[in-house]
Amino acid sequence: MTDEFTLPGFDIESFVRDTLAEDLGEGLPGGGRDVTSESVIPEDARFSGVMDTRDAIHVAGLPVAEAFFRALDPDMQIDILVEEGASVPAGTDLMRLEGNARAMLTAERAALNTVQHLSGIATMVAEYVAAMDNPDCTLLDTRKTIPGLRHLEKYAVRMGGGANHRMGLWDAAMIKDNHVLVAGSVGEAVRRAVEAGVKDIICEVDRIDQIEPALEAGATRLLLDNMEPDTLREAVSLVAGRAPTEASGGINLDTIRAKAATGVDYVSVGRLTQSAPAADIGLDFTPL
């Protein structure tokens, strides 16, 4: 399955290699090995294992977990039992494994950390989508991701039913207050981006009077920052379909439905990737 798991810009082989190297202490004095497994577990010992969830979750990251195990035992028998993005109840078996015991134990923590983190994100995203309860509005993530994990975390957002905002600094302009401060005005900041040939220009506005200058200068999306529902409705009415609108700031499970109901096209929430709790997922082994 890992042969089929590809994300643009993400090198799964490098990620697995570097993560295992960190855990094994490669390059450090005495490093490069799992001293516990080497000293306690016979080299030819074999385990069977079952990864299961103790929480109700939306699943994300199982192909990456598989890659960790296969990196240390290419012949390991691995059966992934549920699809990515699936909603499963507590007690569900996610993966079955059979292979070299040392390899299983060495890869266990990296595999579990990844699935716990990504499934935690996907599960929180699903909670926000349900709370929003609005098929006409799309839930977005942000760039508030852990360095090095952006592609995986944004993948988990999609598995939970959300969509991705910018992937980084390269694929769209995002004009915020500091850009406006240097440019002198919202309109001037947008104009400079247009003149530079930028195709997608998202402009943050936190006041109603900034909307027209941003649109007239060529903004292709407006990010309506920290506005209450009544102000959001007024802003959406003023935009009148000339550009997509996005609500951002002050959005949580208690406020998202009211903000999405104002007519905005998107709602973005940084907490999805910044603060999602890890899912409770375990891996139990049986000697063969």
Side-chain angles (χ1 to χ4, degrees):
M1 178 173 288
T2 51
D3 291 340
E4 303 172 2
F5 184 80
T6 58
L7 299 175
F10 176 70
D11 186 336
I12 188 170
E13 292 184 2
S14 295
F15 174 73
V16 168
R17 182 177 61 250
D18 292 347
T19 302
L20 290 174
E22 179 184 57
D23 217 9
L24 291 166
E26 290 187 7
L28 299 175
R33 63 195 185 109
D34 177 353
V35 295
T36 312
S37 294
E38 286 185 11
S39 60
V40 175
I41 306 296
E43 187 175 1
D44 60 352
R46 292 178 63 81
F47 274 172
S48 65
V50 177
M51 183 186 294
D52 69 334
T53 178
R54 290 81 188 264
D55 292 334
I57 63 168
H58 276 66
V59 179
L62 293 178
V64 186
E66 178 185 359
F68 280 114
F69 291 114
R70 291 206 186 280
L72 299 180
D73 180 2
D75 297 324
M76 189 174 295
Q77 299 176 31
I78 301 175
D79 294 316
I80 293 180
L81 305 176
V82 297
E83 293 185 359
E84 293 285 282
S87 174
V88 300
T92 298
D93 291 346
L94 307 176
M95 177 186 290
R96 291 198 187 99
L97 312 94
E98 183 177 324
N100 181 269
R102 286 186 181 180
M104 245 182 239
L105 290 169
T106 300
E108 174 189 14
R109 179 44 52 197
L112 280 176
N113 284 351
T114 301
V115 178
Q116 288 172 339
H117 180 54
L118 298 187
S119 295
I121 290 172
T123 301
M124 176 177 281
V125 170
E127 291 173 353
Y128 270 77
V129 170
M132 187 168 65
D133 191 26
N134 190 330
D136 297 323
C137 188
T138 300
L139 178 66
L140 299 177
D141 54 22
T142 70
R143 284 175 48 241
K144 295 178 180 178
T145 56
I146 295 174
L149 295 182
R150 176 166 300 170
H151 291 285
L152 285 177
E153 291 180 340
K154 283 181 171 281
Y155 162 78
V157 168
R158 298 194 298 273
M159 292 304 98
N164 298 144
H165 209 287
R166 294 188 302 167
M167 290 302 294
L169 295 170
W170 55 272
D171 53 344
M174 170 82 85
I175 294 171
K176 298 175 73 69
D177 52 357
N178 286 326
H179 304 103
V180 172
L181 183 64
V182 173
S185 69
V186 164
E188 176 61 17
V190 173
R191 185 189 65 78
R192 292 182 184 183
V194 170
E195 289 186 351
V198 179
K199 179 180 177 182
D200 297 317
I201 304 172
I202 305 165
C203 184
E204 177 185 275
V205 299
D206 53 19
R207 304 193 315 268
I208 292 294
D209 64 356
Q210 294 174 316
I211 291 175
E212 285 301 328
L215 290 175
E216 289 175 2
T220 61
R221 183 194 298 183
L222 293 186
L223 191 158
L224 308 171
D225 190 44
N226 283 305
M227 293 184 180
E228 294 302 318
D230 287 346
T231 307
L232 283 172
R233 287 191 190 89
E234 182 182 356
V236 169
S237 176
L238 288 172
V239 173
R242 288 176 288 170
T245 53
E246 171 188 343
S248 181
I251 297 170
N252 54 44
L253 288 171
D254 295 326
T255 62
I256 190 170
R257 184 170 186 173
K259 293 203 173 186
T262 61
V264 292
D265 300 287
Y266 303 101
V267 173
S268 57
V269 180
R271 186 168 185 262
L272 302 177
T273 51
Q274 187 183 49
S275 307
D280 187 359
I281 295 170
L283 181 54
D284 296 317
F285 297 118
T286 303
L288 296 176

